[in-house]
Amino acid sequence: MSKDYYNILGVGKDASQDQIKKAFREKAHVYHPDKKGGDEVKFKELNEAYQVLSDQTKRSQYDQYGHTFEQARSQGGGGFGGFEGFGNGQGFNINMDDFGDILGGFGDIFGFGGGTRPGRRRTQRGRDIEVVLNIDFKEAVFGVEREISLKKTASCSRCKGSGAEPGSGDETCPACRGLGQVGRMQRTILGNVQVQTVCPACHGEGKIIKEKCRYCRGLGLTNEIVNLKIKIPAGIDNGETLRFAGQGEAATKGGQAGDLYIKTRVSPDLKFRRDGFDILSKAEIGVSLATLGGKIDVETVDGPVELKIPEGTQSGRIIKLKGKGVPSLRGRNSFGRVQDKRGDHLVEVIVKTPTGLSRKQKEQLRELGI
Ligand SMILES: [Zn+2]
Ligand SMILES: [Zn+2]
C-alpha cells in the first residue's frame, strides 16, 4: 500500500540515524535533478523517504502503520484518499482524529452527511443548566443577591479535574505506546484498509493515569451541590433570562463547561403593576378631596410619597410621580430612547362616590345642588 522507504534509501529496518543520513547523501548526489543523469522522480522519492526516516516520531509511526499520521491526514485518513465526492457530492475531509472511537464502518462515515463533524468525545462541552428563580416585585425593581444551590456535575476538587490521584503522575499509554492513535484493519467495500482511530485507552492523550483519583475514580468529575451567589440586576422583568457563562455542568478533561441560565419569575404584587419601566397603582379619594384638591400619601416602591391632588380631579385621572419607577436595565425606556434614570410611577386616581349617607348629609348635598 505504501512505499518502502528503507528500500528506497537502501538501508535496513534497524539502520541508525547516521546510516540513514549517509545513505540519503550518497543517493541524493546521484539522483539530483541538476546533475547529468539525474532523476527528478527518484530524487523526490528519496527526499520523502528521508523526511520520514530521519524523524524519530514519523519513523515510528511509519514502522507501525506503514505511513505517518501527517500523510494519513493529508490523504484524508489512512487509505481513504479517494473518498471525496463519493457520497453526497459535498466532499468531506476525513480526519480519524475527529471520529474518535465512534467510527464503526463504512455506513457510519456517510451517515454524518454534508460535512457535519461530530464532536470529539474528549472535548465535549458540559451541559447548560436552566434554573427558574422566583423573586418578588421589589427585588425585581431594585435587584437582589440570592444564593442558589445547584446539584451539578462539577470538576473534581481533589484531582482538579485531571482524574489522577494527587502526586501520582502519569505514564505512557501501553495500548498506543504514547502515540494517541491505534491502527486496525477494517473491511470496507474497497477491501481491507488500515484506519487510525483515537486510542480508546487514553482517548488520544498518549498518557494514562497511574493511579486514579480516589474521590472521582478517575473521571475528573463529581456530582456536587454547588452554592452560587447570583446577582439579579435592578430592573429585571418577569421571564427575562440571565446567562452565567461557564457555570453550567463541567465537561470531561479539556472540555468547556456549560452555561447557567437563570430565568426570573416575578411574583405579582397586590399594589403595583409594571408597564416597561413604569409602575402603575391606584389610589381612591373621596368626592370632597377630588373636588377641592389636597394631598394624600401613596405607596411607592421607595415607601410612602405625598401626592398632590389638583382641584377638580376626575375619576380615572393619572398623576405622575417622576422617577419613582423601575431603573432602566439597558439604559433605554420602553420607547427605545436612551435614558439613564428610572421610569415613573403613575397613580390612577379613583374618586369614590359616597354611599350610606345620613339623612342630614343627603340634605346638605341637595342644598349644594351638585
Ligand atoms: Zn478526582
Ligand atoms: Zn493510548
Side-chain angles (χ1 to χ4, degrees):
M1 188 168 96
S2 53
K3 295 168 188 166
D4 187 342
Y5 291 148
Y6 292 101
N7 199 19
I8 289 167
L9 285 174
V11 295
K13 295 239 180 215
D14 52 358
S16 69
Q17 282 303 310
D18 278 349
Q19 285 171 316
I20 287 167
K21 197 184 270 178
K22 195 167 163 249
F24 171 69
R25 282 206 185 129
E26 277 172 15
K27 291 212 185 291
H29 203 69
V30 176
Y31 295 120
H32 199 287
D34 292 347
K35 293 239 164 182
K36 204 178 157 203
D39 186 328
E40 202 181 330
V41 177
K42 277 200 167 164
F43 182 77
K44 273 187 179 166
E45 221 173 45
L46 204 59
N47 195 45
E48 187 186 319
Y50 179 68
Q51 291 305 325
V52 171
L53 296 187
S54 63
D55 181 305
Q56 280 299 353
T57 313
K58 287 180 187 169
R59 186 179 175 181
S60 74
Q61 289 170 357
Y62 174 75
D63 286 348
Q64 200 180 350
Y65 306 118
H67 56 78
T68 65
F69 293 160
E70 200 177 290
Q71 288 169 331
R73 266 189 271 277
S74 68
Q75 288 164 15
F80 285 91
F83 271 19
E84 241 162 276
F86 203 100
N88 47 22
Q90 298 195 43
F92 37 82
N93 199 7
I94 298 173
N95 180 349
M96 290 306 164
D97 257 0
D98 293 334
F99 289 91
D101 40 9
I102 51 169
L103 182 72
F106 210 74
D108 288 354
I109 298 170
F110 290 112
F112 294 129
T116 0
R117 293 156 63 99
R120 295 180 187 209
R121 218 176 70 171
R122 60 195 145 104
T123 53
Q124 235 174 26
R125 196 172 167 275
R127 270 186 304 179
D128 292 334
I129 301 175
E130 195 189 290
V131 174
V132 175
L133 190 67
N134 290 306
I135 54 176
D136 66 34
F137 192 88
K138 278 195 189 176
E139 287 174 331
V141 171
F142 294 115
V144 66
E145 231 181 72
R146 277 285 177 82
E147 189 161 301
I148 58 165
S149 283
L150 290 176
K151 196 175 175 209
K152 66 170 187 176
T153 306
S155 196
C156 173
S157 52
R158 184 177 174 84
C159 62
K160 309 248 176 331
S162 74
E165 180 64 17
S168 72
D170 44 32
E171 60 191 1
T172 304
C173 173
C176 62
R177 287 185 279 162
L179 294 168
Q181 302 200 19
V182 288
R184 70 159 188 258
M185 292 304 282
Q186 190 164 6
R187 226 180 255 274
T188 73
I189 55 165
L190 302 181
N192 285 339
V193 291
Q194 186 164 39
V195 295
Q196 255 64 59
T197 58
V198 170
C199 172
C202 63
H203 302 297
E205 304 278 316
K207 289 180 286 187
I208 56 162
I209 288 160
K210 249 187 198 163
E211 199 187 327
K212 287 180 178 177
C213 166
R214 269 182 278 155
Y215 192 51
C216 65
R217 279 169 286 164
L219 277 174
L221 299 171
T222 48
N223 277 318
E224 273 171 47
I225 308 257
V226 178
N227 292 321
L228 277 178
K229 262 208 181 117
I230 298 293
K231 212 178 158 171
I232 305 292
I236 199 149
D237 209 347
N238 185 39
E240 283 186 308
T241 303
L242 299 165
R243 177 171 163 266
F244 297 85
Q247 298 291 345
E249 301 212 273
T252 45
K253 249 184 282 175
Q256 205 190 352
D259 298 333
L260 168 66
Y261 290 91
I262 304 265
K263 195 174 179 180
T264 53
R265 190 179 288 152
V266 182
S267 35
D269 193 90
L270 290 172
K271 295 181 219 121
F272 308 121
R273 264 196 321 121
R274 186 166 159 176
D275 179 21
F277 295 108
D278 291 336
I279 293 173
L280 315 177
S281 71
K282 287 179 180 172
E284 289 187 341
I285 57 170
V287 174
S288 56
L289 186 61
T291 311
L292 306 170
K295 283 167 185 169
I296 56 163
D297 275 351
V298 291
E299 196 63 40
T300 72
V301 288
D302 296 312
V305 164
E306 200 173 72
L307 183 73
K308 198 172 169 274
I309 307 288
E311 198 180 305
T313 290
Q314 302 295 324
S315 192
R317 178 170 187 166
I318 287 166
I319 303 173
K320 189 191 279 183
L321 287 165
K322 240 179 137 35
K324 292 287 179 195
V326 181
S328 128
L329 252 189
R330 297 168 196 86
R332 276 169 201 284
N333 65 14
S334 46
F335 305 103
R337 284 194 290 263
V338 176
Q339 60 170 33
D340 53 0
K341 51 178 175 50
R342 293 170 60 178
D344 302 321
H345 186 138
L346 307 174
V347 183
E348 185 183 359
V349 178
I350 309 290
V351 179
K352 267 193 96 179
T353 306
T355 54
L357 294 182
S358 65
R359 190 178 292 171
K360 200 183 168 202
Q361 286 172 317
K362 287 179 189 170
E363 252 167 49
Q364 284 171 331
L365 264 181
R366 238 173 255 125
E367 273 171 36
L368 288 170
I370 52 169

